[in-house]
Amino acid sequence: MGTYFNPGNESFKQAIRSQVYVDKTMLISETNKILNTEQRCIALSHARRFGKSQAAGMIDAYYSFGSDSRKLFEPYKIAKEKDFETHLNKYNVIHVDVASASDLNEEEVVETILKRLFFEFKQEFQDKVDYSQPLHLILNDIYKLTDRKFVIIIDEWDCVVRNQAENQELVHKYLQFLHSLFKSEEAKSFLALAYITGILPIKKIDNESALNNFDEYTMIDSKQFTPYFGFTEDEVKELCQQYDMNFDSVKKWYNGYLINGQHMYNPNSVFRAMVNRKLESYWKNTSAFGTINNYIQLNFDGLKEDVMKVLEGGRIEVDTETFANDLSIINSKDEALTALIHLGYLAFDAEYGEAFLPNFEVGMAYKLALQTGAWHNIAATISKCDSLLKATIRKENERAAELIELAHETYTSILKYNDENSLSCVITMAYFTAPAYYNIYRELPGGKGFADMVMIPRADVKNKPAMVIELKRGEQAETAIEQIKQKNYTGALKGYRGEVLLVGITYDENKKHTCVIESVMGV
């Protein structure tokens, strides 16, 4: 049992011993289907903290000859598959975490990996193998010696290509190393499965073919592997029951990644929310803010408007085909937005070619990211959204009107895509943090018409009233309140028992805003 060669099952043990573990072992059923086939090389590119490394540890535990993992897998779904025993701990496994190897010596990452591999080979086979040969010949000799094919796992394979793009000699050497593992003539004999993970899809590099035989599975399209990276809605519902968490609130915070028609949740965030019994942004300790800023600050026509549209809950069309899978080469608005999709800061509906903000947690990441650069005026306004919510709940009419006026002044020049409904968009942005507590509906049918906006506190939220908001231009705020009453817009809250605020918001030709707030009881 080694570190790189035939690792043990400690990683999988650690995963299943965790306070929250969701059974993803049927991923192995999918990899078993492609063992020793032309489709045996797969590349998984998903956002950080989406379970790629945990899956790699599970694959170690299942295939590695250096483990005896039968009892570990017995409680899980894969153990019920007919070919479970066929492949269990029957392969030579190589597992390399390139990010860790790069940390040791980035300039000599290939040498570092080979040095460790050869050390472990020698411990196992001593002088039965000629270690002066190229790696692919050594692997072929080991295959002949042991009569066991190789499962090769390369975690964070793309960190060298991403971080050392200017060092072409190093990148070439690294890709030649990968070629020896996956594309040499000998690999046709010794390779049973190749599983590589990264943040971005594979970059096509001129004159390099090390990875052109891989099938790719991404944040845009991961096909049959979709349910194994992230938590599915059914899995999150089950966790919410187990940990007594409100599903609607968890969904608002962490849902939103629509991949191959399935709603996928950020698994790391859901895990932490369950363990801590607390909903908050668990991406705050990542590089989210700098990453988002790198792309939304780019000076491409329409980019700012598109970002604002997704922040207020809209969708934008994105052409993802032109992206070169390289974060250092961004030549258009679509490429900037596609980078954010692959990094997990936008979700993508492939059926319609539209991107959108996945959830409230990511929205909070944008809120903090906007605080620098060309967005500072917008960030300053967004920072006051909590104050607006409090002012509304306290029925502070003048303060609420003042904050809405500030928001309208800040956003109107950007929200040109929706002039006829710009105030509604402004109000959505002005109450930017409200989704932490409320389910928010625009144009919700109720009574004799449609309420402009209805905010209903979720079941686990205490001491927050519901709100029915009516927007007017060139009229009195009292007129908006009267319309809510006459048309019985509170009918949209049928069954809700508690305080309901009727909020009338208007502005005149001088952009002077007024707000009137009344309290009634729901029935």
Side-chain angles (χ1 to χ4, degrees):
M1 185 173 71
T3 303
Y4 284 3
F5 179 58
N6 281 338
N9 51 28
E10 287 303 316
S11 177
F12 184 56
K13 281 183 182 177
Q14 180 175 305
I16 63 178
R17 288 171 180 165
S18 298
Q19 287 177 269
V20 175
Y21 176 71
V22 173
D23 185 354
K24 296 291 185 179
T25 58
M26 288 303 287
L27 167 65
I28 295 168
S29 177
E30 297 297 338
T31 57
N32 280 346
K33 292 174 185 176
I34 60 176
L35 283 170
N36 302 304
T37 71
E38 291 294 326
Q39 292 74 45
R40 68 189 182 280
C41 296
I42 58 175
L44 277 297
S45 60
H46 277 57
R48 287 187 174 93
R49 302 189 176 185
F50 258 75
K52 302 186 299 294
S53 295
Q54 186 178 94
M58 179 179 70
I59 291 171
D60 282 348
Y62 179 75
Y63 289 114
S64 176
F65 188 75
S67 298
D68 181 359
S69 301
R70 180 176 285 97
K71 289 185 178 179
L72 286 181
F73 283 102
E74 278 179 356
Y76 301 110
K77 295 175 184 176
I78 187 61
K80 298 177 176 62
E81 293 293 292
K82 62 182 181 180
D83 61 351
F84 170 66
E85 295 278 353
T86 304
H87 304 290
L88 180 66
N89 301 135
K90 302 288 177 57
Y91 293 84
N92 287 321
V93 169
I94 291 175
H95 183 164
V96 177
D97 181 347
V98 179
S100 296
S102 296
D103 288 343
L104 295 174
N105 191 335
E106 195 164 38
E107 292 294 326
E108 297 184 2
V109 62
V110 174
E111 289 82 356
T112 300
I113 294 170
L114 290 175
K115 182 178 180 181
R116 184 67 200 185
L117 277 175
F118 290 172
F119 173 76
E120 295 185 16
F121 290 162
K122 289 175 183 177
Q123 283 191 315
E124 180 72 19
F125 304 113
Q126 298 166 4
D127 60 355
K128 296 178 182 177
V129 176
D130 179 4
Y131 301 105
S132 65
Q133 304 176 89
L135 179 61
H136 59 284
L137 297 179
I138 294 173
L139 297 184
N140 202 46
D141 285 350
I142 292 174
Y143 161 56
K144 292 176 179 178
L145 184 66
T146 62
D147 197 28
R148 290 190 299 271
K149 289 193 173 186
F150 279 86
V151 170
I152 301 179
I153 304 161
I154 307 292
D155 206 5
E156 299 282 1
W157 85 268
D158 60 338
C159 70
V160 172
V161 178
R162 285 187 288 106
N163 298 337
Q164 294 288 331
E166 296 180 359
N167 189 340
Q168 289 299 306
E169 182 179 349
L170 174 59
V171 170
H172 176 72
K173 183 192 298 183
Y174 175 64
L175 291 174
Q176 287 298 106
F177 162 71
L178 296 180
H179 187 283
S180 70
L181 292 175
F182 305 128
K183 288 294 296 291
S184 64
E185 190 65 26
E186 289 75 14
K188 295 177 182 178
S189 299
F190 68 70
L191 183 64
L193 174 71
Y195 171 96
I196 68 174
T197 76
I199 296 172
L200 293 177
I202 295 170
K203 175 179 169 57
K204 305 303 185 287
I205 300 175
D206 291 343
N207 302 318
E208 299 285 1
S209 61
L211 301 174
N212 65 3
N213 59 327
F214 276 75
D215 290 326
E216 294 197 68
Y217 305 89
T218 73
M219 291 291 285
I220 291 174
D221 184 5
S222 53
K223 304 178 180 69
Q224 73 270 27
F225 291 99
T226 298
Y228 307 114
F229 297 92
F231 288 165
T232 67
E233 190 146 282
D234 286 343
E235 289 166 346
V236 174
K237 284 180 180 178
E238 187 174 332
L239 288 172
C240 287
Q241 291 179 350
Q242 182 180 347
Y243 287 87
D244 193 26
M245 298 286 284
N246 181 268
F247 171 71
D248 287 340
S249 290
V250 172
K251 182 175 183 176
K252 181 65 68 173
W253 272 87
Y254 308 119
N255 179 33
Y257 297 96
L258 186 62
I259 309 175
N260 294 96
Q262 297 193 51
H263 289 274
M264 302 303 296
Y265 290 63
N266 181 321
N268 178 71
S269 297
V270 172
F271 172 93
R272 292 180 179 276
M274 297 299 143
V275 171
N276 296 332
R277 305 294 204 281
K278 185 177 182 182
L279 302 177
E280 63 178 65
S281 178
Y282 293 102
W283 273 19
K284 63 188 178 185
N285 295 323
T286 71
S287 59
F289 316 137
T291 301
I292 291 171
N293 256 328
N294 287 342
Y295 302 106
I296 65 175
Q297 299 283 356
L298 295 172
N299 190 27
F300 297 123
D301 286 345
L303 178 59
K304 199 167 189 177
E305 290 83 354
D306 277 357
V307 172
M308 284 297 297
K309 188 168 184 178
V310 298
L311 290 181
E312 62 94 1
R315 287 182 167 222
I316 54 174
E317 291 186 3
V318 180
D319 179 359
T320 61
E321 295 299 320
T322 63
F323 184 51
N325 301 337
D326 187 334
L327 297 178
S328 66
I329 304 174
I330 304 293
N331 295 315
S332 69
K333 177 189 72 171
D334 283 326
E335 290 178 9
L337 295 170
T338 303
L340 291 171
I341 291 168
H342 286 296
L343 293 168
Y345 301 121
L346 287 176
F348 188 69
D349 185 339
E351 182 178 358
Y352 295 99
E354 294 175 338
F356 54 95
L357 191 70
N359 54 50
F360 183 67
E361 179 185 40
V362 176
M364 289 298 95
Y366 275 89
K367 178 187 174 186
L368 293 176
L370 295 176
Q371 292 177 357
T372 61
W375 293 82
H376 60 88
N377 288 337
I378 291 169
T381 303
I382 289 178
S383 70
K384 294 179 171 61
C385 53
D386 278 331
S387 298
L388 173 60
L389 186 60
K390 291 174 184 176
T392 307
I393 292 171
R394 293 168 182 165
K395 297 182 281 294
E396 297 172 352
N397 293 350
E398 292 184 6
R399 177 60 174 160
E402 174 189 328
L403 292 169
I404 292 167
E405 187 170 314
L406 173 64
H408 203 171
E409 191 175 303
T410 303
Y411 302 137
T412 297
S413 62
I414 300 171
L415 296 173
K416 292 178 181 177
Y417 58 82
N418 203 9
D419 285 333
E420 64 191 28
N421 200 25
S422 64
L423 182 56
S424 179
C425 299
V426 165
I427 295 302
T428 302
M429 289 295 297
Y431 286 102
F432 192 75
T433 56
Y437 317 102
Y438 290 92
N439 290 323
I440 301 175
Y441 307 93
R442 288 167 61 172
E443 297 295 328
L444 187 67
K448 300 175 183 179
F450 293 82
D452 285 336
M453 184 175 294
V454 175
M455 296 166 56
I456 305 175
R458 288 188 291 276
D460 60 327
V461 174
K462 309 302 180 186
N463 304 316
K464 291 282 190 299
M467 299 185 197
V468 178
I469 301 174
E470 181 65 22
L471 312 172
K472 292 291 182 186
R473 178 181 178 182
E475 300 185 46
Q476 296 296 313
E478 289 81 2
T479 303
I481 295 291
E482 193 61 29
Q483 181 172 320
I484 294 173
K485 294 177 179 178
Q486 288 182 353
K487 295 194 174 183
N488 191 28
Y489 289 160
T490 53
L493 295 167
K494 186 177 181 180
Y496 173 81
R497 298 182 182 277
E499 184 183 16
V500 180
L501 298 183
L502 312 183
V503 184
I505 299 170
T506 66
Y507 72 104
D508 59 24
E509 65 276 6
N510 296 316
K511 297 185 179 179
K512 177 66 177 175
H513 291 63
T514 57
C515 180
V516 172
I517 305 166
E518 289 188 14
S519 176
V520 299
M521 292 302 295
V523 293

